[in-house]
Amino acid sequence: MNITSKEIAELCGVSRGTVDRALNNRPGINPETKDKIMKVAEQLGYRPHFLAQSLVKGKTMSIGVVIFDINNRLFPQLIHAMDTRAREHRYFLYLALTDKDPETERECIRNLADRKVDGIVLLSVNKGKEFEKYVGQFNIPVVTIGNRVGPTIPYVWINDRKAMQDSVSFLVAKGYEEIIYVSPPIGHKESPKTNLYTMEQRLLGFKESVKRAKGVSSTIVTSKDYYAELEQLIRSSRKRKVILCTSDIYALRIMQHLKQAGVSIPGDVGLMGFDDIDTLEFVTPSLSTVSFSSNEIGRLAIDSLIQAIAGEDAEMNTVIGHRVVERQST
Amino acid sequence: MNITSKEIAELCGVSRGTVDRALNNRPGINPETKDKIMKVAEQLGYRPHFLAQSLVKGKTMSIGVVIFDINNRLFPQLIHAMDTRAREHRYFLYLALTDKDPETERECIRNLADRKVDGIVLLSVNKGKEFEKYVGQFNIPVVTIGNRVGPTIPYVWINDRKAMQDSVSFLVAKGYEEIIYVSPPIGHKESPKTNLYTMEQRLLGFKESVKRAKGVSSTIVTSKDYYAELEQLIRSSRKRKVILCTSDIYALRIMQHLKQAGVSIPGDVGLMGFDDIDTLEFVTPSLSTVSFSSNEIGRLAIDSLIQAIAGEDAEMNTVIGHRVVERQST
DNA sequence: CTGTTAGCGCTTTCAC
DNA sequence: GTGAAAGCGCTAACAG
């Protein structure tokens, strides 16, 4: 249906080799011949057949993006950043959303490998040595974001642990005496095999800094049904209290709940989130949180991946900055 | 690097034709031969080379998704729905975000055509006969969502016009006497060539129903800087007023603004949005709006497209339901 | 400078 | 039932 290099060759009375030399301006061709070929190609609207090209070159100029969490508000920005960056390098993105299902995730990775993507950006629910090996078997460069998978796979993200430490420092400096840390279970199908790297790092950071902080007590709430527990905690003592959440989403839910219960924020209790999702623009009181650039993460992930694809060894650990943002809720 | 059907053939002492018959269970092969081939293939972890397959079959099992608006909150759900549905049919999605740039959009469509995607889902900023022709030239099935491009291209969406009429009816029934319709310009690079189909439809619906409604006055605000205009309008008369927005985002911005200005909602003025984005979960007072399922749109868009790919002629006009949702803000 | 040949990995047609 | 050969559209290596 479409015009081929063979047809151009025939029309110009030359061989396909020559046509190829013209089209891909390779050396060793008479300028006049080249001119003529180019003109004919132009006129006929010739476009090289991408698949044929990929097949012979062993490069598809495609990158697979495998992400488990669509609800995460980082998602749009992240995708946007990656897409833009990738296209700047003439790559296209294959998208695969795994809905937090480990099996789907593996399947997607395999399918992308079948499609010979040049590289994969992975935000995974799977973890462990065995999975690391699984990912490795395809001999395709992979870059992870969010959840680390293993030491052999490049990783781009913030330092969650440090970020949570900074949050605690901030709250302590504000004079809070008790910190209620809210970190509910996340996935639909939680299991010991679920990759919760970022959440673990944040928790780690919290525990460390709370231990160091003199005179600050803390409680960790992990139940799925955290409202009830919170209400009790809030009334339990006279200390100045703050609720610190591992994610803005929880903070917002809690905010709604407390408002309805007539609890004043930050008067009766402080509230702080994490991620600085753009929804925050619309809530009152405005929410203190930890901010970082998903744009930057997306861009750097693609950059690292392209580097790896080029055969250069990529940075194993790219850490981008974060900052505690003080707003009305604390 | 990877095992090929040729190698399997050699190992089994048969021809590639026979291997092919076994692998794709085509008829005309001795069960025993087949068994043996399958076992060897299994053992060696044989996976067919997708590109080679695509090249010869002329099908890539890929769908391009070209979307201009990443900020639109429908985006994640829409993408998610399409991705899921596509993968159910063994298709993968190529994603291309165009940032509302008409040139980028065209470029992306062309590139996807080069990559021989089997079909394209399009939410476009371009419009007009010429663009319709541009899209048509590639001989690739296309399904549009949101903005209609032309009568020759299938379209999946809600009936915006009717939805806006329903909104007005709802507000009139609630006793509002003046409706302030807020429909600011949208794109970065607005131009007469920008496709604003949905917005036009909504406006059309508004005008029609306001004309029909006796004793209801209306104002249409389209300036970029709508706050100032609104404040004046709100104080202008004694009538019961409501602000009707073409999108939840505007409604939320206005809500923030009015709150700060000490205007009570719905006491001093009613407020209504459109789209029912999930951010609404977190705002007080809760926002009345028009709701519809982006999931359904995504799923149906993919279904239509796959139908078109299969050569059946797809439904030109798939309309999904909407409903007015009454909440606290009116 | 240009043509020829071989090959990427798979499918398909036609003999045997 | 099975094998041989041709072809998808392109690139690359080697002659001439």
Side-chain angles (χ1 to χ4, degrees):
Chain A
M1 53 166 217
N2 252 326
I3 179 91
T4 74
S5 73
K6 189 177 159 199
E7 298 176 284
I8 295 186
E10 281 163 8
L11 281 170
C12 295
V14 295
S15 74
R16 300 165 70 212
T18 305
V19 171
D20 189 57
R21 274 181 274 260
L23 261 27
N24 301 309
N25 37 18
R26 252 194 283 286
I29 181 171
N30 185 319
E32 289 173 26
T33 328
K34 181 169 176 178
D35 251 38
K36 184 176 167 193
I37 294 174
M38 293 307 274
K39 263 184 202 123
V40 174
E42 170 81 62
Q43 223 154 30
L44 270 52
Y46 171 79
R47 301 239 103 204
H49 194 299
F50 208 84
L51 296 174
Q53 230 170 214
S54 298
L55 179 60
V56 69
K57 289 211 189 146
K59 270 204 103 202
T60 56
M61 300 305 284
S62 305
I63 289 175
V65 175
V66 180
I67 291 197
F68 69 75
D69 195 353
I70 174 82
N71 293 314
N72 188 322
R73 270 337 211 317
L74 301 176
F75 172 77
Q77 271 188 36
L78 207 51
I79 295 287
H80 187 223
M82 293 197 284
D83 177 62
T84 304
R85 191 55 160 191
R87 227 134 20 72
E88 280 171 15
H89 292 274
R90 333 198 80 223
Y91 282 85
F92 262 74
L93 255 40
Y94 264 125
L95 189 62
L97 304 172
T98 60
D99 261 331
K100 296 187 180 155
D101 182 56
E103 209 32 67
T104 305
E105 184 173 289
R106 288 168 114 94
E107 217 26 62
C108 284
I109 294 174
R110 175 182 295 288
N111 285 320
L112 288 169
D114 284 348
R115 282 163 188 258
K116 309 295 175 195
V117 295
D118 295 337
I120 292 179
V121 175
L122 178 62
L123 175 44
S124 76
V125 271
N126 282 292
K127 67 173 178 182
K129 272 262 169 284
E130 191 252 329
F131 179 64
E132 192 176 351
K133 215 172 118 195
Y134 178 83
V135 170
Q137 82 183 294
F138 300 110
N139 280 107
I140 295 179
V142 173
V143 168
T144 46
I145 56 179
N147 284 338
R148 196 189 285 278
V149 166
T152 61
I153 309 183
Y155 178 70
V156 179
W157 201 244
I158 62 166
N159 184 335
D160 287 294
R161 193 162 152 187
K162 180 65 166 51
M164 198 51 95
Q165 288 171 354
D166 292 346
S167 303
V168 172
S169 300
F170 161 74
L171 293 173
V172 170
K174 289 282 289 184
Y176 285 104
E177 300 159 315
E178 178 170 350
I179 303 180
I180 304 165
Y181 186 85
V182 177
S183 175
I186 322 170
H188 310 291
K189 314 178 174 178
E190 218 62 18
S191 98
K193 297 174 94 178
T194 304
N195 195 332
L196 297 172
Y197 184 80
T198 60
M199 288 306 153
E200 289 161 1
Q201 289 297 305
R202 291 177 189 182
L203 180 56
L204 210 59
F206 176 72
K207 284 180 175 166
E208 286 168 355
S209 47
V210 134
K211 196 187 293 173
R212 274 205 300 267
K214 313 277 178 201
V216 174
S217 64
S218 69
T219 321
I220 294 174
V221 176
T222 57
S223 67
K224 198 173 173 182
D225 185 24
Y226 43 83
Y227 295 134
E229 214 173 329
L230 280 179
E231 292 200 29
Q232 267 202 325
L233 284 168
I234 290 173
R235 310 193 194 296
S236 66
S237 76
R238 282 280 167 87
K239 291 184 180 172
R240 280 198 64 205
K241 296 188 199 63
V242 61
I243 301 171
L244 175 56
C245 301
T246 52
S247 146
D248 288 335
I249 298 285
Y250 301 129
L252 291 181
R253 297 232 166 87
I254 290 170
M255 186 185 283
Q256 283 290 83
H257 192 81
L258 293 182
K259 268 188 195 171
Q260 275 156 31
V263 177
S264 143
I265 302 169
D268 297 332
V269 63
L271 182 62
M272 177 161 179
F274 201 113
D275 288 345
D276 199 20
I277 63 180
D278 48 12
T279 299
L280 301 192
E281 179 187 351
F282 303 118
V283 301
T284 318
S286 56
L287 187 71
S288 296
T289 191
V290 174
S291 182
F292 55 93
S293 163
S294 47
N295 259 336
E296 199 178 345
I297 290 175
R299 197 167 47 75
L300 289 174
I302 293 294
D303 284 351
S304 285
L305 192 56
I306 288 179
Q307 231 177 305
I309 291 172
E312 307 160 35
D313 33 26
E315 186 61 48
M316 287 310 287
N317 211 27
T318 308
V319 181
I320 74 152
H322 62 262
R323 65 178 215 286
V324 172
V325 179
E326 173 168 15
R327 298 209 182 96
Q328 296 164 353
S329 71
T330 49
Chain B
M1 54 167 216
N2 251 326
I3 179 91
T4 73
S5 74
K6 190 179 160 198
E7 297 175 284
I8 295 187
E10 280 163 8
L11 282 169
C12 294
V14 297
S15 74
R16 300 165 70 209
T18 305
V19 172
D20 189 60
R21 275 181 273 260
L23 261 26
N24 301 309
N25 37 17
R26 252 193 283 286
I29 181 171
N30 185 321
E32 290 174 26
T33 327
K34 180 168 176 177
D35 250 38
K36 185 174 166 195
I37 293 174
M38 293 308 273
K39 260 180 204 130
V40 174
E42 170 82 61
Q43 226 154 28
L44 270 51
Y46 171 77
R47 302 238 103 204
H49 194 297
F50 208 85
L51 296 175
Q53 230 169 215
S54 299
L55 179 60
V56 69
K57 289 210 187 146
K59 270 201 104 208
T60 55
M61 299 307 283
S62 305
I63 288 174
V65 174
V66 180
I67 290 196
F68 70 75
D69 196 352
I70 175 81
N71 293 315
N72 189 322
R73 273 332 213 317
L74 300 175
F75 173 77
Q77 269 188 39
L78 207 53
I79 295 286
H80 186 222
M82 294 198 281
D83 177 63
T84 305
R85 192 55 158 190
R87 224 132 23 69
E88 280 171 17
H89 292 273
R90 334 199 81 224
Y91 282 87
F92 263 73
L93 256 39
Y94 265 125
L95 188 63
L97 304 172
T98 61
D99 260 332
K100 295 186 180 155
D101 181 57
E103 208 33 65
T104 306
E105 184 173 288
R106 287 168 115 94
E107 216 24 63
C108 285
I109 294 174
R110 176 183 294 287
N111 285 320
L112 289 169
D114 284 347
R115 282 161 189 259
K116 310 294 176 197
V117 294
D118 294 338
I120 292 179
V121 175
L122 178 61
L123 176 42
S124 76
V125 272
N126 282 292
K127 68 172 177 184
K129 272 263 168 284
E130 191 254 330
F131 179 64
E132 191 176 354
K133 216 173 116 195
Y134 178 83
V135 170
Q137 82 183 294
F138 300 110
N139 279 106
I140 296 179
V142 173
V143 168
T144 46
I145 56 180
N147 286 337
R148 195 189 285 277
V149 166
T152 61
I153 308 182
Y155 178 71
V156 179
W157 200 244
I158 63 166
N159 184 336
D160 287 295
R161 193 163 151 184
K162 180 68 164 52
M164 198 50 94
Q165 288 171 355
D166 292 346
S167 302
V168 172
S169 302
F170 161 74
L171 292 173
V172 171
K174 287 283 289 185
Y176 285 104
E177 300 159 313
E178 179 172 348
I179 304 182
I180 304 166
Y181 186 84
V182 177
S183 174
I186 322 168
H188 309 290
K189 314 179 177 181
E190 219 61 17
S191 99
K193 297 175 93 176
T194 304
N195 196 331
L196 297 172
Y197 184 80
T198 59
M199 288 306 153
E200 288 161 2
Q201 289 296 305
R202 290 177 190 182
L203 179 57
L204 209 60
F206 177 71
K207 285 180 174 166
E208 287 169 355
S209 47
V210 136
K211 196 187 296 177
R212 276 203 300 266
K214 313 276 177 202
V216 174
S217 64
S218 70
T219 320
I220 296 176
V221 176
T222 57
S223 65
K224 199 172 173 185
D225 184 25
Y226 42 82
Y227 294 136
E229 212 172 330
L230 281 179
E231 291 201 30
Q232 267 201 324
L233 284 168
I234 291 173
R235 310 193 195 297
S236 66
S237 76
R238 282 278 167 87
K239 293 182 178 171
R240 278 199 66 204
K241 297 188 199 61
V242 60
I243 301 171
L244 175 56
C245 302
T246 51
S247 147
D248 288 335
I249 299 285
Y250 301 130
L252 291 181
R253 296 233 167 87
I254 290 169
M255 185 185 283
Q256 284 289 86
H257 192 81
L258 293 181
K259 266 187 195 170
Q260 276 158 30
V263 177
S264 144
I265 303 169
D268 298 331
V269 63
L271 183 62
M272 177 159 179
F274 201 112
D275 289 343
D276 199 21
I277 63 180
D278 48 12
T279 299
L280 300 191
E281 180 188 351
F282 303 117
V283 301
T284 319
S286 57
L287 187 71
S288 295
T289 191
V290 174
S291 183
F292 56 93
S293 163
S294 47
N295 259 337
E296 200 177 344
I297 290 175
R299 197 169 46 74
L300 290 173
I302 293 294
D303 285 352
S304 285
L305 192 56
I306 288 179
Q307 230 176 305
I309 291 172
E312 309 161 33
D313 33 27
E315 186 60 49
M316 286 309 287
N317 212 27
T318 308
V319 180
I320 74 152
H322 63 262
R323 63 178 217 285
V324 172
V325 180
E326 174 169 16
R327 298 212 181 95
Q328 295 164 352
S329 71
T330 50

